[in-house]
Amino acid sequence: MRLVTGSEMAVIDHTAINEYAIPGIVLMENAGIKVVEIIGQVLGNPRNTKVVILAGKGNNGGDGFVIARHLYNKGARVQLFLFGDEDKVKGDALINLTIWKGMGQKIYPLKSTHDVNMVKMAINCADLIIDALYGTGFKGTVNDLLASVFKSVNSSGKTVIAVDIPSGIEADTGKINGPCIRADHTVTFAYPKLGLVIYQGCDYVGKLHVVDISIPSAVLSKIKSSRYLTTTELIKELWPGRKGPEHKGDFGRVLVIAGSRGMSGAAILAAEAAARAGAGLVTLGVPSAIHDIAENKLTEVMTFPLADTSKGNVSHTALKDILDRCHSSNVVAIGPGLGTAAETATLVKDIIMNITIPCVLDADGLNAMAGKAGLLNSIKSNLVITPHPGEMARLTGYSVKDIQQDRIGITAQKAKEWGCTILLKGARTVICGPDGSTYINQTGNPGMASGGSGDVLTGLIAGLIAQGLTPLNAAVAGAFIHGRAGDVTAKEMGISGMLAGDLLQRVPYVTKEFEQVITP
């Protein structure tokens, strides 16, 4: 599903109105009707429901006027509060305000402390609050008057539905610079706005409903950016599937180089995840010091020992053995649990500079490249890196705060600069390809913030690449499946005691949904 910024949505609206001759008043009417439909799904029949609508003087307020009319016609008891002067309402919004007044309905002003007190009294008696104050053009912060109203709305305990975007969120960035409406549901029009799906905005959206208001799909040709929200439908399109008759060699060979003394679990999780992703054959190379542990633990994954140092890290003398095995593999995953020994870090650099098969680089594999990220754009293989914000900071030289404040911008810039796919972990994982494509993953939950979770993700991505997905598509699908497995686990077990191994067990139940669609 395409993601747009507020300014891009303005271009889409302009194109629909001026090139496709769809009157703005029609788009506004459609938007209002769709919100009313969602209200029906949330609350049932609105008859006798007490509704407070907070409207601004722009088009978002105009949507609110349409909603007021339709709810009133369905028997709801509507109180409409207007923030701003009536004579500042223009265009399509004015037409709908005039209709509301023509129906003999009141408009309550929201200009003074006295008016705020009226709003608070209305909120206390309401069943539903509609936020139609600010739309996608909002930037900055609201004044003290609205701040007081927002506080009352957020503390009311009443159902809150935001029109297009909760007031207080910047549509282009997700930034919240002051008070903001916290919605239970947000009904956004045509396409999800970027600020609704990334931090901080995503924390205020509640359940996001994307509704069609009759804008022709062809208008997207006017938008040059390539940003997407990952959805089940998208992953179904990417899923490799199995059509038979086939054998294990047809589903790819994964080589995993991982582990060190005391860190065997990371290596085992990554290898098992590659197998769970559907790879035909998975081979795990670990230091000799932990080989027996890995061999005893794994039954469906092949293992082999690598020359190691006295401290149980992979030695640089293992380079030739690893490169030889890369020749018979479709993809190599490097990093989980390798440790940060200087000799191992040099080994990692020499591996990735000498291979031509796709590579997934994670954890200590990334740490080995700290201060050497400029080498990434000279690598011959198709590379996927999967840093968390701290690792991304070490690679780029930015602070973690800088990374978190511009997760999409920095990730997209570095993906292009380094010529690789970057998956930046965290709440709403960001995946960027070297071609400028950007994906925001919406699956996952806080219970996944535990040791080993990232190792599972590394294996999933490698397993999908082995089956023929491009590195970018494998990263997108891997992040989605990883998060969905976490969500299934949370539903069954809760989040407090969730372990990385729990995700592994649930991956097949997640991917089964795609197999039913793809497999004949």
Side-chain angles (χ1 to χ4, degrees):
M1 182 181 294
R2 286 287 293 271
L3 285 167
V4 299
T5 63
S7 55
E8 288 170 343
M9 192 65 217
V11 171
I12 289 171
D13 285 337
H14 182 272
T15 303
I17 293 168
N18 292 284
E19 295 186 20
Y20 288 83
I22 302 175
I25 194 74
V26 171
L27 297 178
M28 187 173 287
E29 185 73 13
N30 290 346
I33 289 173
K34 289 293 185 178
V35 175
V36 173
E37 289 178 0
I38 298 298
I39 291 171
Q41 294 172 20
V42 172
L43 294 181
N45 190 336
R47 179 171 294 279
N48 293 322
T49 299
K50 296 176 182 177
V51 182
V52 170
I53 298 181
L54 306 173
K57 61 182 183 293
N59 283 342
N60 198 246
D63 298 334
F65 305 150
V66 175
I67 295 164
R69 167 163 41 91
H70 284 284
L71 287 178
Y72 175 80
N73 286 340
K74 290 178 178 291
R77 297 159 65 183
V78 179
Q79 284 183 277
L80 176 61
F81 290 87
L82 176 63
F83 177 68
D85 296 326
E86 244 186 85
D87 59 7
K88 297 290 180 63
V89 180
K90 306 294 183 184
D92 299 329
L94 177 58
I95 293 172
N96 280 300
L97 182 58
T98 302
I99 294 171
W100 178 251
K101 291 167 66 177
M103 294 167 63
Q105 297 306 301
K106 291 182 179 180
I107 302 163
Y108 296 90
L110 183 48
K111 298 180 181 180
S112 67
T113 302
H114 172 73
D115 299 333
V116 169
N117 289 335
M118 285 189 63
V119 171
K120 290 180 178 179
M121 291 174 61
I123 287 172
N124 287 337
C125 299
D127 301 303
L128 172 67
I129 303 167
I130 305 293
D131 167 26
L133 284 162
Y134 288 110
T136 55
F138 175 82
K139 286 182 174 59
T141 187
V142 300
N143 63 20
D144 291 342
L145 195 73
L146 281 186
S148 179
V149 173
F150 287 10
K151 182 177 179 181
S152 295
V153 170
N154 292 342
S155 63
S156 68
K158 306 300 174 64
T159 300
V160 179
I161 295 181
V163 177
D164 209 16
I165 188 168
S167 295
I169 297 176
E170 294 189 359
D172 291 4
T173 65
K175 289 182 180 178
I176 296 172
N177 301 305
C180 181
I181 293 287
R182 186 178 293 277
D184 297 293
H185 298 265
T186 297
V187 185
T188 200
F189 307 129
Y191 305 99
K193 316 310 180 286
L194 189 59
L196 295 172
V197 301
I198 59 176
Y199 183 78
Q200 302 163 279
C202 61
D203 287 346
Y204 288 76
V205 168
K207 183 175 181 179
L208 181 62
H209 307 262
V210 182
V211 297
D212 176 25
I213 59 170
S214 77
I215 291 179
S217 59
V219 301
L220 273 178
S221 63
K222 297 289 183 180
I223 305 302
K224 302 304 180 185
S225 62
S226 300
R227 300 186 207 90
Y228 302 87
L229 181 66
T230 55
T231 61
T232 300
E233 290 70 29
L234 173 63
I235 307 306
K236 286 176 180 176
E237 293 177 8
L238 301 180
W239 193 247
R242 297 194 177 196
K243 298 178 176 63
E246 294 157 317
H247 60 83
K248 59 189 176 184
D250 293 323
F251 302 110
R253 300 169 185 265
V254 178
L255 175 64
V256 180
I257 306 299
S260 59
R261 185 178 292 144
M263 296 290 287
S264 60
I268 291 166
L269 285 168
E272 285 189 319
R276 286 291 187 189
L281 292 165
V282 180
T283 303
L284 171 63
V286 295
S288 293
I290 64 168
H291 178 256
D292 287 349
I293 297 172
E295 191 172 45
N296 288 331
K297 181 71 174 177
L298 295 167
T299 52
E300 292 88 357
V301 171
M302 296 175 287
T303 65
F304 69 97
L306 292 168
D308 57 6
T309 67
S310 61
K311 293 186 178 181
N313 300 100
V314 181
S315 166
H316 192 275
T317 58
L319 177 62
K320 184 178 184 304
D321 191 6
I322 292 170
L323 293 179
D324 286 346
R325 289 179 182 271
C326 283
H327 291 313
S328 58
S329 303
N330 300 108
V331 58
V332 58
I334 306 173
L338 273 178
T340 56
E343 183 176 347
T344 306
T346 301
L347 170 68
V348 170
K349 177 179 70 68
D350 289 345
I351 294 171
I352 65 175
M353 295 303 296
N354 285 281
I355 59 174
T356 56
I357 62 172
C359 174
V360 184
L361 196 63
D362 182 39
D364 291 325
L366 292 172
N367 290 328
M369 300 305 295
K372 308 180 187 71
L375 294 174
L376 296 177
N377 61 9
S378 59
I379 291 173
K380 300 172 186 176
S381 69
N382 289 316
L383 181 66
V384 179
I385 64 174
T386 59
H388 58 57
E391 291 163 343
M392 189 67 166
R394 289 191 284 276
L395 286 170
T396 61
Y398 291 112
S399 69
V400 172
K401 182 179 179 181
D402 291 336
I403 299 294
Q404 292 295 69
Q405 287 182 339
D406 190 15
R407 287 171 58 82
I408 293 175
I410 292 174
T411 305
Q413 173 197 344
K414 293 303 179 181
K416 183 176 181 180
E417 179 182 333
W418 297 336
C420 65
T421 295
I422 302 178
L423 183 152
L424 179 61
K425 298 171 185 173
R428 301 302 169 104
T429 291
V430 176
I431 306 105
C432 294
D435 63 351
S437 298
T438 297
Y439 294 80
I440 309 297
N441 186 63
Q442 58 182 333
T443 60
N445 60 78
M448 299 171 68
S450 63
S453 180
D455 305 318
V456 172
L457 176 59
T458 297
L460 289 175
I461 295 170
L464 292 170
I465 292 174
Q467 295 171 79
L469 269 67
T470 67
L472 176 61
N473 287 345
V476 171
F480 185 91
I481 294 163
H482 183 247
R484 179 63 66 81
D487 292 339
V488 172
T489 304
K491 187 175 182 180
E492 294 178 8
M493 304 173 58
I495 63 175
S496 298
M498 188 186 299
L499 300 177
D502 298 327
L503 307 184
L504 275 179
Q505 300 305 314
R506 286 155 182 83
V507 165
Y509 297 97
V510 173
T511 58
K512 180 181 178 182
E513 179 180 1
F514 313 134
E515 293 166 1
Q516 291 173 335
V517 173
I518 300 297
T519 304

